[in-house]
């Protein structure tokens, strides 16, 4: 059986993070952005004209069940066939089509020398092979993703990679391998507004520098597009975003999926070195590194794809299966690729929720309305990641949808908060305005009353406001307090009083800290006074006299 070789263009399932990354806030002045747009347009026109003058051969594709396209495999010569060529003196180094075949040729020459003895011809062949292998020495290029800005970042520097991971960037493993000793430079630029860009075009580089981008030198090298050992990185542009709007990938599937979502196809950005050999015999996929000819075992991530090359099964990639690895469960599709599209997935008759790292969610998982469009809720999963319906997992009871039926106070308030964020976002002023206008004032006697069993005072007052749209000053304050806290603000609920002409009247409000200073947010006062009087007023410059008893902050 002949080995099968395919150019390792990996198929990356399109994740929500890539497809739906939010538009980044534009910090530059409008005139600056217009200049940058002109620079992009001029550079892209130059690139397009250059690309139209040559044709790039792309392997034919076939539709897979998952909806992505996979390159058809082409025959590669076996070790025995290469040895036969060497023995018959018909070996042609120029005809070698992959680094894997080149490594096989080296091994065949060395075997021939061990059996027949050295000769000038064999020595020359070995020297030529070694020289060619040396010219394709590589360095790993790491790919990272910023979930806040939507930017992908690429670097060969492991220290730079590790610093970004600690800062919250998502590690997406090795993106590709770049040549070290040959090729054209790939220029790296930085926009002070907060993004990087990479290009092989000197014209594009110079245009961006002219409108304020910082040139950071050569990031790595690129092979020529025609190199038979090359691996293309496809470039896409999102016209709906001003910043962080380029993506580069070895995955033809990811490339075409983004184009289908409206991204602009910008062809091949640069070319790496194809160092991965995938052997697929009768549906059994094994993966090797061509630089060492070593077979890879265990979890392996490359080009945005992750495989589990089962050590207990001769390194064959796990396919169409669920497997526990290092204490977590994962799903693998028919091509052996880990299913990493965050969110819901139906697999093998069961329903699962995929975490950001590709593992299956287990136990209790919060899902917000911002993620699904449904009401925010908690889902119940068993210990192997399957959704529990009309059943129980541990102490959690699930209904027919898999939703938690008995949320505690904290869980219930979290659900209310995220349903509200779907309307307001997490902007503090929008939250404040929403509560101040959507809740109708309703007096209670007494105003401060005992909560329902299992709830704190602020949870119960907030519950009344979220469910009825009515409440007193403590209701306004409790809603704003919990919405601010869940959105990440430092906040405290205050049970005090406000001075009036007839004496002190019991009252509740919220105080929020920013940059070391506390500010007052008074939702019920917003019904009668301008927002400048009631929202984020410094405590020492409040327009009303707020009275704080000793226990003012004891009702959080």
């Amino acid at each position: 059986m002949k080995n099968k070789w395919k150019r390792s263009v990996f198929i990356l399932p399109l994740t929500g993070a890539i497809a739906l990354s939010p538009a980044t806030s534009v910090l530059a002045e409008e005139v600056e952005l217009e200049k940058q747009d002109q620079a992009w347009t001029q550079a892209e026109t130059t690139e397009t004209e250059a690309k139209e003058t040559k044709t790039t051969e792309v392997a034919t594709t076939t539709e897979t069940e998952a909806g992505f396209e996979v390159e058809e495999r082409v025959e590669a010569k076996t070790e025995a066939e290469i040895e036969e060529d060497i023995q018959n003196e018909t070996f042609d180094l120029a005809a070698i089509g992959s680094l894997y075949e080149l490594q096989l040729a080296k091994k065949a020459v060395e075997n021939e020398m061990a059996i027949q003895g050295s000769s000038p011809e064999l020595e020359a062949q070995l020297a030529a092979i070694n020289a060619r292998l040396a010219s394709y020495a590589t360095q790993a290029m790491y790919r990272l993703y910023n979930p806040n800005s939507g930017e992908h970042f690429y670097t060969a520097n492991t220290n730079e990679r590790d610093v970004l991971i600690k800062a919250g960037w998502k590690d997406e493993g090795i993106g590709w391998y770049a040549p070290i000793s040959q090729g054209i430079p790939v220029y790296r630029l930085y926009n002070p507004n907060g993004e990087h860009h990479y290009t092989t075009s000197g014209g594009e580089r110079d245009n961006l520098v002219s409108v304020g981008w910082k040139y950071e030198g050569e990031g790595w090298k690129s092979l020529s597009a025609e190199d038979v050992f090359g691996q293309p990185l496809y470039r896409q542009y999102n016209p709906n975003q001003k910043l962080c709007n380029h993506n580069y990938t070895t995955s033809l599937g990811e490339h075409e999926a983004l184009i289908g979502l409206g991204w602009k196809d910008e062809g091949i950005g640069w070319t790496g070195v194809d160092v991965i050999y995938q052997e697929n015999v009768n549906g059994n996929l094994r993966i090797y590194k061509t630089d060492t000819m070593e077979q890879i075992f265990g979890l392996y991530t490359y080009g945005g794809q992750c495989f589990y090359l089962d050590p207990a099964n001769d390194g064959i990639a796990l396919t169409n299966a669920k497997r526990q690895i290092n204490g977590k469960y994962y799903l693998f599709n028919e091509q052996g690729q880990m299913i990493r599209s965050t969110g819901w997935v139906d697999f093998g008759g069961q329903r699962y929720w995929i975490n950001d790292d590709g593992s299956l969610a287990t136990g209790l998982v919060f899902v917000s309305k911002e993620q699904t469009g449904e009401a925010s809720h908690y889902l119940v999963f068993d210990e192997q990641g399957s959704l529990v319906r009309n059943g129980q997992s541990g102490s959690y009871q699930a209904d027919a949808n898999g939703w938690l039926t008995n949320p505690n106070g904290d869980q219930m308030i979290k659900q209310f908060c995220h349903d509200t964020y779907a309307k307001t976002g997490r902007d503090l002023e929008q939250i404040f305005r929403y509560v101040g206008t959507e809740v109708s004032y309703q007096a209670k006697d007494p105003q401060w009353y005992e909560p329902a069993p299992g709830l704190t005072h602020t949870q119960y007052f907030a519950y009344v406001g979220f469910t009825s749209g009515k409440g007193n000053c403590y209701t306004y304050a409790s809603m704003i307090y919990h919405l601010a806290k869940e959105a990440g603000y430092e906040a405290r609920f205050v049970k005090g009083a406000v001075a009036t002409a007839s004496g002190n009247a019991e009252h509740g409000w919220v105080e929020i800290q920013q940059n070391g200073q506390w500010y007052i947010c008074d939702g019920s006062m917003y019904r009668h006074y301008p927002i400048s009087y009631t929202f984020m007023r410094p405590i020492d410059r409040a327009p009303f006299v707020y009275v704080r008893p000793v226990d003012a902050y004891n009702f959080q």
Side-chain angles (χ1 to χ4, degrees):
M1 174 67 70
K2 290 186 177 181
N3 291 334
K4 299 285 189 177
W5 173 81
K6 86 174 185 67
R7 191 168 299 283
S8 48
V9 177
F10 288 77
I11 296 82
L12 177 65
L14 189 63
T15 65
I18 296 176
L20 302 176
S21 56
T24 308
S25 300
V26 179
L27 303 179
E29 297 292 337
E30 218 172 284
V31 62
E32 175 72 10
L33 290 175
E34 288 179 1
K35 289 181 180 178
Q36 291 188 19
D37 286 342
Q38 292 171 2
W40 283 124
T41 302
Q42 182 177 346
E44 287 166 1
T45 300
T46 302
E47 290 293 290
T48 301
E49 290 172 351
K51 287 168 185 171
E52 287 175 351
T53 64
K54 61 184 179 180
T55 302
T56 301
E57 293 185 0
V58 179
T60 56
T61 55
T62 56
E63 191 76 15
T64 70
E65 187 174 332
F68 297 120
E69 292 184 346
V70 183
E71 292 186 352
E72 291 183 351
R73 300 177 182 90
V74 296
E75 297 286 351
K77 283 195 172 185
T78 66
E79 184 176 350
E81 289 171 328
I82 292 176
E83 285 183 350
E84 184 178 354
D85 288 342
I86 291 171
Q87 291 168 359
N88 295 335
E89 299 182 356
T90 58
F91 174 71
D92 182 5
L93 182 60
I96 291 293
S98 72
L99 283 175
Y100 180 78
E101 288 182 59
L102 192 59
Q103 290 282 11
L104 289 180
K106 177 181 178 180
K107 183 178 179 182
V109 171
E110 291 173 339
N111 289 342
E112 187 69 11
M113 293 173 69
I115 296 171
Q116 302 295 337
S118 183
S119 70
E121 292 78 10
L122 291 175
E123 291 285 356
Q125 283 183 339
L126 185 59
I129 291 171
N130 283 333
R132 194 167 187 195
L133 284 170
S135 71
Y136 285 95
T138 63
Q139 62 181 352
M141 298 299 305
Y142 303 100
R143 170 170 152 158
L144 301 104
Y145 176 70
N146 186 334
N148 297 316
S149 68
E151 179 183 8
H152 275 95
F153 182 74
Y154 314 90
T155 181
N157 188 316
T158 55
N159 290 330
E160 189 171 36
R161 175 200 64 188
D162 295 343
V163 167
L164 291 177
I165 292 172
K166 288 181 181 178
W169 289 64
K170 182 179 177 182
D171 180 10
E172 294 189 332
I174 296 173
W176 77 98
Y177 287 86
I180 296 175
S181 60
Q182 66 164 307
I184 60 175
V186 178
Y187 306 114
R188 171 171 148 171
L189 300 102
Y190 177 70
N191 184 341
N193 291 331
E195 66 173 327
H196 283 86
H197 186 66
Y198 319 89
T199 180
T200 60
S201 167
E204 183 176 29
R205 175 201 60 197
D206 295 343
N207 281 329
L208 292 177
V209 170
S210 71
V211 294
W213 288 65
K214 179 182 178 183
Y215 176 50
E216 295 187 331
E218 178 181 317
W220 53 87
K221 293 184 183 298
S222 166
L223 295 179
S224 69
E226 295 79 15
D227 198 307
V228 294
F229 295 171
Q231 180 180 51
L233 276 98
Y234 304 101
R235 169 172 155 169
Q236 310 88 40
Y237 168 70
N238 186 349
N240 298 317
Q241 290 188 194
K242 283 289 185 183
L243 300 177
C244 304
N245 47 22
H246 280 87
N247 185 60
Y248 308 84
T249 178
T250 60
S251 168
L252 188 60
E254 179 184 358
H255 172 73
E256 293 181 346
L258 289 175
I259 302 309
L261 289 169
W263 290 58
K264 182 180 177 183
D265 179 1
E266 294 191 330
I268 295 174
W270 58 82
T271 303
V273 181
D274 195 349
V275 301
I276 301 301
Y277 168 69
Q278 295 186 71
E279 179 187 70
N280 198 327
V281 180
N282 297 328
N284 295 324
L285 173 66
R286 296 177 178 86
I287 300 179
Y288 303 82
K289 285 199 67 175
T290 56
D291 56 350
T292 62
M293 297 301 287
E294 293 177 345
Q295 186 177 355
I296 299 170
F297 295 92
L299 275 179
Y300 181 69
T301 301
Y302 179 69
Q305 287 297 342
C306 187
F307 300 84
Y308 184 67
L309 304 161
D310 194 351
N313 191 25
D314 194 26
I316 295 174
L318 197 67
T319 59
N320 200 29
K322 178 170 72 173
R323 175 67 65 89
Q324 185 182 30
I325 304 169
N326 299 329
K328 296 181 179 180
Y329 283 89
Y330 301 87
L331 301 177
F332 296 87
N333 65 18
E334 292 183 353
Q335 287 77 45
Q337 303 153 1
M338 182 188 292
I339 299 174
R340 302 176 75 178
S341 51
T342 305
W344 284 119
V345 62
D346 294 304
F347 187 88
Q350 296 290 331
R351 181 159 244 215
Y352 302 93
W353 184 270
I354 308 292
N355 294 320
D356 288 342
D357 64 355
S359 65
L360 301 184
T362 58
L364 198 61
V365 176
F366 177 73
V367 179
S368 71
K369 188 172 184 178
E370 300 158 292
Q371 291 173 291
T372 65
E374 302 174 338
S376 301
H377 52 268
Y378 281 86
L379 297 165
V380 181
F381 296 91
D382 65 22
E383 61 184 10
Q384 294 188 14
S386 296
L387 182 67
V388 176
R389 302 176 189 269
N390 288 326
Q392 191 165 341
S393 178
S395 61
Y396 305 127
Q397 185 70 37
D399 63 14
N401 295 316
W403 295 12
L404 179 68
T405 60
N406 54 337
N408 60 31
D410 290 336
Q411 294 162 349
M412 178 183 65
I413 292 298
K414 186 181 183 79
Q415 293 174 173
F416 284 130
C417 286
H418 284 267
D419 282 346
T420 302
Y421 299 150
K423 305 171 186 175
T424 64
R426 298 177 182 236
D427 179 77
L428 186 58
E429 182 176 341
Q430 294 305 313
I431 290 171
F432 180 82
R433 287 181 182 274
Y434 176 82
V435 174
T437 55
E438 294 297 319
V439 177
S440 300
Y441 188 84
Q442 184 179 54
K444 288 278 188 177
D445 189 17
Q447 285 197 75
W448 183 260
Y449 48 88
E450 290 306 305
L455 299 178
T456 66
H457 279 90
T458 61
Q459 286 174 346
Y460 189 54
F461 278 114
Y463 169 80
V464 170
F466 282 124
T467 56
S468 71
K470 300 177 181 179
N472 59 22
C473 61
Y474 299 121
T475 301
Y476 288 89
S478 294
M479 292 175 69
I480 294 170
Y481 165 71
H482 284 291
L483 285 164
K485 288 279 286 185
E486 183 65 26
Y489 296 92
E490 183 69 27
R492 61 193 184 197
F493 173 90
V494 188
K495 180 180 181 295
V498 63
T500 69
S502 56
N504 291 345
E506 62 178 289
H507 189 58
W509 65 93
V510 178
E511 293 175 354
I512 293 176
Q513 187 184 56
Q514 281 192 343
N515 300 321
Q517 183 173 353
W518 286 95
Y519 298 84
I520 292 175
C521 291
D522 194 335
S524 63
M525 286 290 194
Y526 178 53
R527 295 176 301 120
H528 305 295
Y529 296 93
I531 192 168
S532 59
Y533 280 47
T534 58
F535 174 69
M536 294 298 283
R537 292 289 307 187
I539 286 179
D540 58 352
R541 296 195 298 275
F544 311 105
V545 178
Y546 290 95
V547 181
R548 300 169 183 81
V550 175
D551 62 349
Y553 302 116
N554 292 343
F555 302 96
Q556 305 302 312

